[in-house]
Amino acid sequence: MRVILAQPRGFCAGVVRAIEIVDRALQQHGAPVYVRHEIVHNRHVVDNLRQKGARFVEELDEVPQGAVAIFSAHGVAQTVERDAEARGLDVLDATCPLVTKVHVQGRQYVAAGRTLILIGHAGHPEVEGTIGQIPGTVLLVQSEAEVAKLELPVDAPLAYVTQTTLSVDDTRGIIDALLRRFTDMVGPDTRDICYATQNRQAAVRELSKEVDVLLVVGATNSSNSNRLREIGSESGVASYLVADGSEVKPEWFANVHTVGITAGASAPEEMVENVIDALRALGPVDVTTMAGREEKVEFKLPSKLMQPLAAREV
Ligand code: 10D
Ligand code: SF4
C-alpha cells in the first residue's frame, strides 16, 4: 500500500503554545495546575499533561482558591475571566492569539454601532467564548438556511465574524447569503478562518485527488479535524476520523492502493506514526509526504512564563 502524508498537517502554532503554557506552568509552579476544558481537543495531549500533574475541569468552581488556572486554547467568556478574578486564581490564558483577534474585531464592530453575527457551531467552546467576549446580543448563524431566518431589517447596520476552524467553502456560502440578504453588512470575508485551518483544508483537497481512502487523525470533538474529514468525503474519497491506530479498521482497505493521512491541528505527530504502524500491521507500506506549504508561524508565550526558572526561585 502507498501512504501519502498531507503537508501541512497536525499541530498549529496556537496548539504548540497552549501545550507549552501547561508544561511551563507545571515546571514553574509544580503540580497541580488546573486547566479549564481540554487544553486542546485531543485525549492523548490531555492524558500526557494529566500524567505530569495537570488537572482538567469544566468549570472554575472545581478549582481551589488561589490555584493556577489555565484557560484552554479555544478561549473563554468574560464571565469566566471575572469569576477567576473573584476566586483569586492565578490565571494563565492559553487562548490562541488568532481567537483573541476575533474577539477584538467583534468588539470593534459592536462599538461602531453594528449588530454582530457570529458564523459558527452552537455549543462549541470557542463559540461560547466569542459570544461571551462581546457585549450585547450576538446572533449565531450556523448555515445558509439560518441566514433566511434572521429577524432583522434588510438595511440594519450589521457585521459578522467567524469561528476560526470552519470549512472555508461552507463559510463562503454563508457570507454570500448574508451579503445577498442585507445591504449594510461588513466583515473579514473568510480571513477569520485561521491560517492553519485554511492550509490543512487546502492540502487535504489536493491529497484527495491522489488517494482511495483518507484517514484524518484527530478527535471526534475537534472541529477542525471534522472539517478535514468532510472535505475528503465531499471529494468522493472514503474518509475516516481516527484518534489513533487502534481505531483503524482492516476492512477499509480492501482493494485500496493509496491511503492519504492528515492530522487535525490538535493531533500529535506520534498518533500519525501510530496510525502508520497500524497500516504496517496489514502489509508493507511505502510512505511519502506530499509537497506542500511550509508553516513558520510562532506565537509568544504569556510574559509571566518567560522568566527563567532560576530567577523565580531566588
Ligand atoms: O475543536 P477545534 O478545532 O476548535 O479545537 P482543537 O482543540 O481540535 O484544535 C485547536 C483549535 C483551536 C483551539 C480553536 F482555534
Ligand atoms: Fe489558533 Fe488556528 Fe490553531 Fe485554532 S487552529 S489554535 S485559531 S492557529
Side-chain angles (χ1 to χ4, degrees):
M1 210 153 45
R2 258 189 92 203
V3 170
I4 309 178
L5 303 178
Q7 179 62 37
R9 64 177 181 281
F11 279 5
C12 61
V15 164
V16 169
R17 175 177 180 271
I19 295 171
E20 177 87 17
I21 287 173
V22 182
D23 264 329
R24 286 200 180 216
L26 283 163
Q27 283 170 32
Q28 284 196 1
H29 298 275
V33 299
Y34 291 81
V35 184
R36 184 188 179 278
H37 192 68
E38 289 188 333
I39 185 73
V40 299
H41 289 148
N42 191 278
R43 190 171 50 80
H44 294 285
V45 171
V46 168
D47 285 349
N48 184 270
L49 292 171
R50 193 182 279 122
Q51 271 172 19
K52 294 181 187 172
R55 291 198 191 155
F56 290 87
V57 298
E58 278 311 307
E59 295 305 335
L60 292 184
D61 58 10
E62 301 166 59
V63 182
Q65 185 92 16
V68 173
I70 301 171
F71 298 153
S72 83
H74 316 91
V76 296
Q78 286 179 343
T79 49
V80 175
E81 293 174 335
R82 284 196 288 269
D83 188 19
E85 204 180 327
R87 288 171 186 278
L89 302 180
D90 186 357
V91 170
L92 286 165
D93 189 357
T95 304
C96 177
L98 297 181
V99 173
T100 305
K101 190 184 93 179
V102 175
H103 299 167
V104 172
Q105 197 177 38
R107 284 196 290 268
Q108 284 169 346
Y109 285 134
V110 169
R114 293 181 178 273
T115 298
L116 194 71
I117 292 167
L118 170 61
I119 303 173
H121 296 291
H124 188 281
E126 181 185 329
V127 164
E128 287 178 354
T130 300
I131 290 173
Q133 280 290 336
I134 291 158
T137 312
V138 177
L139 302 165
L140 182 65
V141 168
Q142 303 188 73
S143 63
E144 285 184 48
E146 286 188 13
V147 172
K149 292 190 197 137
L150 285 169
E151 289 181 5
L152 292 163
V154 287
D155 60 350
L158 304 175
Y160 65 86
V161 292
T162 88
Q163 194 177 341
T164 56
T165 54
L166 300 179
S167 149
V168 176
D169 291 345
D170 292 355
T171 306
R172 162 134 328 286
I174 296 171
I175 292 169
D176 287 348
L178 286 171
L179 293 172
R180 277 197 303 274
R181 174 138 190 242
F182 298 103
T183 56
D184 185 8
M185 171 73 68
V186 293
D189 195 61
T190 53
R191 285 187 298 276
D192 278 353
I193 301 176
C194 77
Y195 82 95
T197 301
Q198 301 220 19
N199 289 348
R200 280 154 191 67
Q201 289 181 11
V204 156
R205 208 166 284 115
E206 278 306 303
L207 184 61
S208 297
K209 294 177 191 161
E210 312 283 327
V211 301
D212 309 311
V213 167
L214 177 73
L215 301 178
V216 179
V217 184
T220 50
N221 62 339
S222 167
S223 165
N224 77 88
S225 305
N226 278 290
R227 304 294 80 79
L228 295 175
R229 194 203 60 74
E230 282 168 10
I231 289 171
S233 292
E234 285 159 15
S235 309
V237 174
S239 303
Y240 306 97
L241 183 63
V242 292
D244 53 40
S246 71
E247 293 184 359
V248 169
K249 296 209 164 50
E251 59 266 30
W252 295 341
F253 307 99
N255 302 318
V256 163
H257 297 293
T258 311
V259 179
I261 303 181
T262 187
S266 46
E269 186 62 14
E270 294 95 282
M271 293 308 126
V272 173
E273 292 296 332
N274 191 249
V275 166
I276 297 171
D277 286 344
L279 295 179
R280 281 206 181 94
L282 304 176
V285 296
D286 165 39
V287 183
T288 55
T289 300
M290 68 183 272
R293 190 182 283 251
E294 200 190 332
E295 291 177 338
K296 291 187 177 151
V297 180
E298 275 181 37
F299 295 129
K300 270 200 236 145
L301 291 170
S303 53
K304 275 196 214 172
L305 292 176
M306 295 299 281
Q307 291 163 272
L309 288 180
R312 281 184 66 92
E313 281 160 16
V314 169

